[in-house]
Every structure is written in structure tokens, then in C-alpha cells.
Amino acid sequence: MIKHVVIAFLVLLCLPGSVLRAQKKISVETEHLQLLLSVNEKGKVFQSYLGEKLSQYNSVETGRHEAYVPAGTNNLFEPAISVMHTDGNPSLELLFAEEKKDKTDDNVTVTTVSLKDPKYPFEVLLHIAAYYREDIFKSWTEIKHQEKGPVTLYNFASSMLHFDAHKYWLTNFHGDWAEEMKMQEHELTSGIKILDTKLGTRAAMYQAPFFFVSLDEPATETHGALIAGTLAWTGNFRFAFEVDEQNSLRVIAGMNNYASQYKLLPGQVFETPAFIFTYSADGKGTASRNFHHWASTYGVLDGDTQRTVLLNNWEATGFDFNEEKLAGLFDNTKKLGADLFLLDDGWFANKYPRNDDHTGLGDWQENKTKLPNGIGHLVKTATGKNIKFGIWVEPEMVNPKSELYEKHPDWILKLPNREEDYFRNQLVLDLINPKVQDFVFGVLDNMLTANPGIAYIKWDCNRMITNGWSPYLKDNQSALYIEYTRSLYQVLKRLRAKYAHLPIMLCSGGGGRIDYGALPYFTEFWPSDDTDGFERVMIQWGYSYFFPSFTVANHVTSWGKQSLKFRTDVAMMGRLGYDINLDKFSDAEWQFSQQAVKDYKRLYPVISHGDLYRLISPYQENRAVLMYASKEKAVLFSYTLHSRYGESFELVKLQGLDPKKQYQLQEINLEKGRSSSLSGKVYGGDYLMKVGLPVTSRNELSSMVLEITAQ
Ligand code: DGJ
């Protein structure tokens, strides 16, 4: 049957009418953007255009950039796909077979282009979803065949895009524990640049799966053409940027093929994760807002529900707590005006009690010394005090000093004939094994079934895969990295089928695992263990390029030497929480914090879903200023990070306001006894955007939060 379709198409190409067919254009459009593919006379599919929507596109040339370049025939650069057929032939040719459009709702259209090899029963489906209102594209592929045995896949991109510009500038985000999302920018010159990770589980710890490519010149917030892209995959990713001899750039995004040759059986479908991207003709600000709008509806679980303000105990108590201490923290949660108390690591394991990070991971029973009356008692006590209760788990991991390790040595990823390799004294479970999936699901399910009052989970993942070898996969070890991530999704899917709306924080020893593959199962993420107010301005700045503020969990802690006000202002830019010993607060600090929580809740709609404008970048000046703006209200955050002797800061021009409206200013989060020279003043939107406001103090590590209300 498949053969017949291919033959029918080839016959068509030979007919006189085939010229029409050969000029076929496939247009994928959002409100302002367009991706245009063309089929040439040989049936090859080309990317002819990507950019702002064209008013008419019949005259657009096919161009020379094959949309999804296969390896092995006449390709001379990095391919999108390379395979070895059952008969040992290492080449692939992909010709247009069919185009389909599916409208999944009034906003989303999925275009599917089927590409087939004329000689082998091998097919690639290119899917491109267009999110009309948000100006976001999502592309992924399905790869399948009907050969007589397994076909080996060596490269399997989700997407390939081509650009022809004078110059290219790559912005990427890298880091490590406590220094996540550091932004770098450099020119792409001839040759290939790879951004990837080989870490498997805590995959994004060193390199985050996000980038911008600016065309012709480095883009600013408001100026310049660029694409912004990310891979929705919670495992190894790989972005290749290759500038060829004619100065064209190809950008290839997908799962990392490192140690991952995949044996695809006949009839099996290999689906690649989505590459999500947008194009902006006017700088990074628009691209970020496109991502934020998209994520609020499609990218994160329950984007429209208000996030809870919580008190966490990790920084304040570490592993050292008991029921009495926790009851005191519940009282503090209530007194602060927070909604939920989150119990962190250290509440479990008995044979090897979890009193530090060397023992107990995997033994998910309440520790009888710390919690003699169990989680149920904690939930009841919290509920009795009118607050909710949440709890920490790290279900994919095991300490060698645990009952789980003793009982199930075959449930652990580790190489035979090699020493165990520890990171934070722990190992990764072999989640590919369905029994381990049952176990991990059971950790959550048993706890939630026994304690239906649990209102929040923090899901941690504190190590990467090293010495990776799955006892379950036996002689198919090169499937390990891909199958691990797929297995994680299986577990999360199962969990969400039963607990559809339970808020869950995605955590990975800080921000080691943050991506849009995981976030449909999570309501927010922990961006970094580094909560020093100054560092955090930089870290949160990095995440703001791709994530809406309400997904970024920010806690006021005692890291950092800045004032409580500074640290509170910083935490308020995202999902506000606390992780600090409140017993040490003075009366003034209590009052300040209680008022901050109240104001945060009041301003939540604009902070969480207002449009973000990054006004002054800490990468360019010794200060940082950003604002969230909705129709009637805006909130501006300003930080002086460092100031040189005699330095004076220019007025900051606001964005996103209505030029015709009048706005009243009110400074909030003011420390006791302080007044504001801006509070009460009224300015026109036009003035605020053209002239600006003096929002930066010269005092190092000082800050300001300004509420801006339309009259
Ligand atoms: C790493 C997380 O990032 C921290 O917030 C805390 O939960 C610890 N793990 C607990 O072990």
C-alpha cells in the first residue's frame, strides 16, 4: 500500500501537470509569522521562508535549503536525520508524499508533511503546530518504517531551520549548581557550534536548553531580528548551529544522539520531542512575551490558577526537625499570611534514617523518631491551623545505604565491572524497568492515598547519570538516555491521570532540570538553590527569557547580605515563598513581610500574567529594572546592584503602558519609617514611556517596587 502511494506520486511528477504540483507551497502561519515550505520538481521539500508574515508568497523562490536534510546521499553538512537500513545502506532520500492540516482548536493548527524514501519503506512525518495568537511554532517528527528488521537511527532531529543573514549571534545560558542561567552571547562563525548535555537526569545543570539566534546584529530587547528556541525534553538535548561556505546557517534541534543509536523496529513509531520556537523582528522582549503567553495556556500545568505563597523549612532547619518544631513553623506560616507549609528533605527512612544526605534515600516511610505520628498527623495539624501542607520527595534516586538498595540491587543504573560512581552520595534508579516505574509512582500514590490532604509536592532530582547501564535494557544499552526520559514521562502521565491538578514543583538540586517537556506535569520550578538576592537578580533574569514569572519559585532566605527588603523585592518578581527562620524576625520584619505577602497576593494577576518588559539589563549596567504591565496596572522592580563612585543613573523609560492614560504611582515594600518621593504622583503613560522615572537609587544593593495604576 505504502509503495503504491509513493509510485502514484512519482508518476504524477512525470505528468505535464506536475509543474503545478512541483510548485506546491506549504504555508504555516500564526497571527504575525510565517514558515513557508516548497516542494520542488523532484519532490524535495525546502524551507523557503521564515519570518514576519508575507502579504503574498506565490513568488517566493524555493531556495536551496532542504527542510529536513537526510544523510548519506549528497548532503555535505550536519544532517537532520541519518539511518542505516536493514540491508546496510546508510542513506536516506526524503520526498514529499502528503500534506495534512489539523485544527486542534480555534488557535492551534498542526501541519503534517509526510516524507517518504522512494526506494525503502521509510517515512518521516514533519509536524509543525502553529499557535496563532501567541506566535509560537512547535515542530517535531515521527519516524517509522516497514523494513524487514530494525533500522538504526543515528541522528533524529526534531527540527531543522535555515537562515541567510549577514552575521549570526548566538545567546545561550549555562551554569552549574547555584549559578544557573548565566547568559552569554557570541558570533557564530563558519563551522559548527554544539550546545548539548550528556547528563541524562539532571540534564540542564551545565547547559540549559534555550537559545536565541540574532540575525545580522546582536538583538536588544526592542530591536533586531531573531529566533528564540527550546527543546521540550527532560533529558539529553543537542542544538547544532552550522554556518556553511555560503554563510547560510542551519539550526538543528533535538534529542542528543550521544551514546544513543536507536534500533527502530518495523511498525514502531519513533517520536521526537517538540522544538518550540518563535521569531521576532523587534528584539528579545517580544520573543519572551510570546513564550510567556504560550506557556500560560499550553506549556505549564494550570497556568491560570493562582500559585500559593509557601514557607519551606530547608534553609531554616535542614534535616534537623521534629513534630514540635514543625508545629511552630505551621504557626509561622499562618502568621506570615502564607498559604502552605512545605516540609523538605529528611522526614523519612528508619533502618538508615535520613539525617543527612548519605542515607535513607529510597525508603519512603516516615522516620519514627522525627515524626512518630506520621504525615497524617502533620496534615491534620496544618489543616487545623488553616494552612495547607506539602512535602518533598526524590523518588528516582537511592542511597547505597538504604533498604531499597539492599532489596533491589537490580533496580539501579550502574555499570557491571566498574565501581559505583556517586554524586551527592546517591545513585539513579533504573526507571526504564516497569517495576521501578510502579515503585516511583507508588511512592507518590501511596502517600497521597493515605494522606489526601497533601496539597503540594516538591519533586527533586539531585544527580545526573554517570556509569549509565540499565540492567533492564540488557543488550540494548544505547536506548538508555532516550528511554529514561520517556519512562519519566510515563510515570508523570500516570500520576497526572490520578492527580490532575495537585501543585508540584519541579526541582533538581536547584535548576538542573527545567524544560517544557516536564512543565506540562508541573505547576512551577525551583530555579536555583542560590537565593542570595544579588545572585538571584541575575538567575531570575536568565529564566525570564523563556518562562512566565509565576512558574519561577522564589524564596526569601538568609542567603546573601542584602536587606530583607531587597531579598523580598527579588522574590516577589516570581512565585513568592519563604525559607527562613522567622523566629528570628523583629517586629518590624514581621510587619514588613506580612504586608509584602498581602501586596503580592493583591498584585498577583499583573506580576504573574502581565507582559514582561526588561528595561535595564544587569548584563549592561550596575542595576536591573523590569516591569510587568497589564491594561490597568503595572508593577516595576528596580535594583541597584553596584554603583561606582559618583555614578548617576539615567531615568528609566517604561514600556507597555497606554500613552493616553494617566497613571498614579505608589511605592510598596517600604521599610518602616521610609517614605517615597514617587508615591502619589500622577503621570501620563506617554510621559512615562518617553521621558521616564528616577527609579534607581545610588545606594548599593537597594531596591524599589512601584505599583503603577491607570486612573
Ligand atoms: C536540593 C534542592 O534544590 C533543595 O531545595 C533541597 O530540597 C535539597 N535538595 C534537599 O535535599
Side-chain angles (χ1 to χ4, degrees), residues 476-489:
N476 190 20
Q477 294 299 323
S478 67
L480 189 151
Y481 288 109
I482 293 175
E483 294 306 343
Y484 187 96
T485 307
R486 287 180 174 165
S487 304
L488 175 66
Y489 294 151

PDB file of all heavy atoms in Angstrom, residues 476-489:
ATOM      1  N   ASN A 476      20.556  -3.679  24.872  1.00  0.00           N
ATOM      2  CA  ASN A 476      20.109  -2.512  24.105  1.00  0.00           C
ATOM      3  C   ASN A 476      20.463  -1.219  24.854  1.00  0.00           C
ATOM      4  O   ASN A 476      19.655  -0.303  24.976  1.00  0.00           O
ATOM      5  CB  ASN A 476      18.592  -2.615  23.885  1.00  0.00           C
ATOM      6  CG  ASN A 476      18.081  -1.582  22.907  1.00  0.00           C
ATOM      7  OD1 ASN A 476      18.859  -1.033  22.109  1.00  0.00           O
ATOM      8  ND2 ASN A 476      16.801  -1.281  22.976  1.00  0.00           N
ATOM      9  N   GLN A 477      21.685  -1.152  25.370  1.00  0.00           N
ATOM     10  CA  GLN A 477      22.066  -0.048  26.258  1.00  0.00           C
ATOM     11  C   GLN A 477      22.024   1.328  25.589  1.00  0.00           C
ATOM     12  O   GLN A 477      21.868   2.336  26.258  1.00  0.00           O
ATOM     13  CB  GLN A 477      23.464  -0.299  26.841  1.00  0.00           C
ATOM     14  CG  GLN A 477      23.523  -1.493  27.772  1.00  0.00           C
ATOM     15  CD  GLN A 477      22.607  -1.349  28.991  1.00  0.00           C
ATOM     16  OE1 GLN A 477      22.444  -0.268  29.540  1.00  0.00           O
ATOM     17  NE2 GLN A 477      21.988  -2.457  29.392  1.00  0.00           N
ATOM     18  N   SER A 478      22.155   1.366  24.255  1.00  0.00           N
ATOM     19  CA  SER A 478      22.184   2.690  23.632  1.00  0.00           C
ATOM     20  C   SER A 478      20.796   3.354  23.629  1.00  0.00           C
ATOM     21  O   SER A 478      20.667   4.504  23.228  1.00  0.00           O
ATOM     22  CB  SER A 478      22.764   2.625  22.218  1.00  0.00           C
ATOM     23  OG  SER A 478      21.902   1.906  21.393  1.00  0.00           O
ATOM     24  N   ALA A 479      19.799   2.623  24.101  1.00  0.00           N
ATOM     25  CA  ALA A 479      18.469   3.254  24.236  1.00  0.00           C
ATOM     26  C   ALA A 479      18.305   3.918  25.602  1.00  0.00           C
ATOM     27  O   ALA A 479      17.277   4.549  25.872  1.00  0.00           O
ATOM     28  CB  ALA A 479      17.377   2.207  24.033  1.00  0.00           C
ATOM     29  N   LEU A 480      19.322   3.800  26.461  1.00  0.00           N
ATOM     30  CA  LEU A 480      19.169   4.203  27.870  1.00  0.00           C
ATOM     31  C   LEU A 480      18.705   5.655  28.055  1.00  0.00           C
ATOM     32  O   LEU A 480      17.708   5.921  28.728  1.00  0.00           O
ATOM     33  CB  LEU A 480      20.495   3.981  28.602  1.00  0.00           C
ATOM     34  CG  LEU A 480      20.472   4.149  30.127  1.00  0.00           C
ATOM     35  CD1 LEU A 480      21.543   3.257  30.748  1.00  0.00           C
ATOM     36  CD2 LEU A 480      20.702   5.567  30.574  1.00  0.00           C
ATOM     37  N   TYR A 481      19.437   6.589  27.454  1.00  0.00           N
ATOM     38  CA  TYR A 481      19.122   8.001  27.732  1.00  0.00           C
ATOM     39  C   TYR A 481      17.728   8.373  27.238  1.00  0.00           C
ATOM     40  O   TYR A 481      16.993   9.094  27.905  1.00  0.00           O
ATOM     41  CB  TYR A 481      20.174   8.924  27.099  1.00  0.00           C
ATOM     42  CG  TYR A 481      21.501   8.873  27.821  1.00  0.00           C
ATOM     43  CD1 TYR A 481      22.612   8.277  27.251  1.00  0.00           C
ATOM     44  CD2 TYR A 481      21.627   9.421  29.091  1.00  0.00           C
ATOM     45  CE1 TYR A 481      23.831   8.234  27.918  1.00  0.00           C
ATOM     46  CE2 TYR A 481      22.832   9.381  29.770  1.00  0.00           C
ATOM     47  CZ  TYR A 481      23.930   8.790  29.180  1.00  0.00           C
ATOM     48  OH  TYR A 481      25.124   8.746  29.854  1.00  0.00           O
ATOM     49  N   ILE A 482      17.387   7.882  26.051  1.00  0.00           N
ATOM     50  CA  ILE A 482      16.072   8.226  25.498  1.00  0.00           C
ATOM     51  C   ILE A 482      14.966   7.545  26.306  1.00  0.00           C
ATOM     52  O   ILE A 482      13.978   8.173  26.695  1.00  0.00           O
ATOM     53  CB  ILE A 482      16.008   7.824  24.007  1.00  0.00           C
ATOM     54  CG1 ILE A 482      16.977   8.703  23.219  1.00  0.00           C
ATOM     55  CG2 ILE A 482      14.592   7.927  23.462  1.00  0.00           C
ATOM     56  CD1 ILE A 482      17.117   8.360  21.753  1.00  0.00           C
ATOM     57  N   GLU A 483      15.166   6.267  26.601  1.00  0.00           N
ATOM     58  CA  GLU A 483      14.097   5.541  27.306  1.00  0.00           C
ATOM     59  C   GLU A 483      13.939   6.017  28.748  1.00  0.00           C
ATOM     60  O   GLU A 483      12.861   5.934  29.313  1.00  0.00           O
ATOM     61  CB  GLU A 483      14.342   4.027  27.262  1.00  0.00           C
ATOM     62  CG  GLU A 483      14.254   3.412  25.875  1.00  0.00           C
ATOM     63  CD  GLU A 483      12.944   3.713  25.135  1.00  0.00           C
ATOM     64  OE1 GLU A 483      11.959   4.116  25.771  1.00  0.00           O
ATOM     65  OE2 GLU A 483      12.923   3.554  23.891  1.00  0.00           O
ATOM     66  N   TYR A 484      15.033   6.495  29.351  1.00  0.00           N
ATOM     67  CA  TYR A 484      14.890   7.009  30.718  1.00  0.00           C
ATOM     68  C   TYR A 484      13.899   8.167  30.731  1.00  0.00           C
ATOM     69  O   TYR A 484      12.969   8.222  31.540  1.00  0.00           O
ATOM     70  CB  TYR A 484      16.241   7.479  31.298  1.00  0.00           C
ATOM     71  CG  TYR A 484      16.087   7.833  32.758  1.00  0.00           C
ATOM     72  CD1 TYR A 484      16.399   6.914  33.747  1.00  0.00           C
ATOM     73  CD2 TYR A 484      15.529   9.059  33.152  1.00  0.00           C
ATOM     74  CE1 TYR A 484      16.195   7.211  35.094  1.00  0.00           C
ATOM     75  CE2 TYR A 484      15.309   9.360  34.481  1.00  0.00           C
ATOM     76  CZ  TYR A 484      15.652   8.441  35.447  1.00  0.00           C
ATOM     77  OH  TYR A 484      15.422   8.727  36.770  1.00  0.00           O
ATOM     78  N   THR A 485      14.097   9.092  29.811  1.00  0.00           N
ATOM     79  CA  THR A 485      13.234  10.279  29.798  1.00  0.00           C
ATOM     80  C   THR A 485      11.796   9.890  29.436  1.00  0.00           C
ATOM     81  O   THR A 485      10.841  10.388  30.037  1.00  0.00           O
ATOM     82  CB  THR A 485      13.800  11.324  28.817  1.00  0.00           C
ATOM     83  OG1 THR A 485      15.166  11.550  29.179  1.00  0.00           O
ATOM     84  CG2 THR A 485      13.051  12.634  28.885  1.00  0.00           C
ATOM     85  N   ARG A 486      11.672   8.991  28.471  1.00  0.00           N
ATOM     86  CA  ARG A 486      10.312   8.544  28.132  1.00  0.00           C
ATOM     87  C   ARG A 486       9.643   7.875  29.337  1.00  0.00           C
ATOM     88  O   ARG A 486       8.444   8.032  29.567  1.00  0.00           O
ATOM     89  CB  ARG A 486      10.360   7.562  26.958  1.00  0.00           C
ATOM     90  CG  ARG A 486      10.669   8.253  25.635  1.00  0.00           C
ATOM     91  CD  ARG A 486      10.698   7.243  24.515  1.00  0.00           C
ATOM     92  NE  ARG A 486      10.856   7.889  23.222  1.00  0.00           N
ATOM     93  CZ  ARG A 486      11.191   7.253  22.110  1.00  0.00           C
ATOM     94  NH1 ARG A 486      11.424   5.947  22.137  1.00  0.00           N
ATOM     95  NH2 ARG A 486      11.305   7.902  20.969  1.00  0.00           N
ATOM     96  N   SER A 487      10.433   7.121  30.098  1.00  0.00           N
ATOM     97  CA  SER A 487       9.875   6.433  31.269  1.00  0.00           C
ATOM     98  C   SER A 487       9.439   7.445  32.330  1.00  0.00           C
ATOM     99  O   SER A 487       8.407   7.264  32.985  1.00  0.00           O
ATOM    100  CB  SER A 487      10.910   5.493  31.886  1.00  0.00           C
ATOM    101  OG  SER A 487      11.359   4.579  30.913  1.00  0.00           O
ATOM    102  N   LEU A 488      10.238   8.488  32.471  1.00  0.00           N
ATOM    103  CA  LEU A 488       9.862   9.543  33.425  1.00  0.00           C
ATOM    104  C   LEU A 488       8.497  10.121  33.036  1.00  0.00           C
ATOM    105  O   LEU A 488       7.611  10.305  33.873  1.00  0.00           O
ATOM    106  CB  LEU A 488      10.932  10.640  33.439  1.00  0.00           C
ATOM    107  CG  LEU A 488      10.639  11.857  34.298  1.00  0.00           C
ATOM    108  CD1 LEU A 488      10.593  11.496  35.784  1.00  0.00           C
ATOM    109  CD2 LEU A 488      11.693  12.952  34.070  1.00  0.00           C
ATOM    110  N   TYR A 489       8.333  10.381  31.738  1.00  0.00           N
ATOM    111  CA  TYR A 489       7.039  10.913  31.283  1.00  0.00           C
ATOM    112  C   TYR A 489       5.901   9.910  31.551  1.00  0.00           C
ATOM    113  O   TYR A 489       4.790  10.301  31.870  1.00  0.00           O
ATOM    114  CB  TYR A 489       7.084  11.270  29.787  1.00  0.00           C
ATOM    115  CG  TYR A 489       8.011  12.428  29.452  1.00  0.00           C
ATOM    116  CD1 TYR A 489       8.627  12.513  28.207  1.00  0.00           C
ATOM    117  CD2 TYR A 489       8.268  13.438  30.361  1.00  0.00           C
ATOM    118  CE1 TYR A 489       9.480  13.572  27.886  1.00  0.00           C
ATOM    119  CE2 TYR A 489       9.114  14.494  30.058  1.00  0.00           C
ATOM    120  CZ  TYR A 489       9.714  14.560  28.825  1.00  0.00           C
ATOM    121  OH  TYR A 489      10.548  15.605  28.519  1.00  0.00           O
TER     122      TYR A 489
END
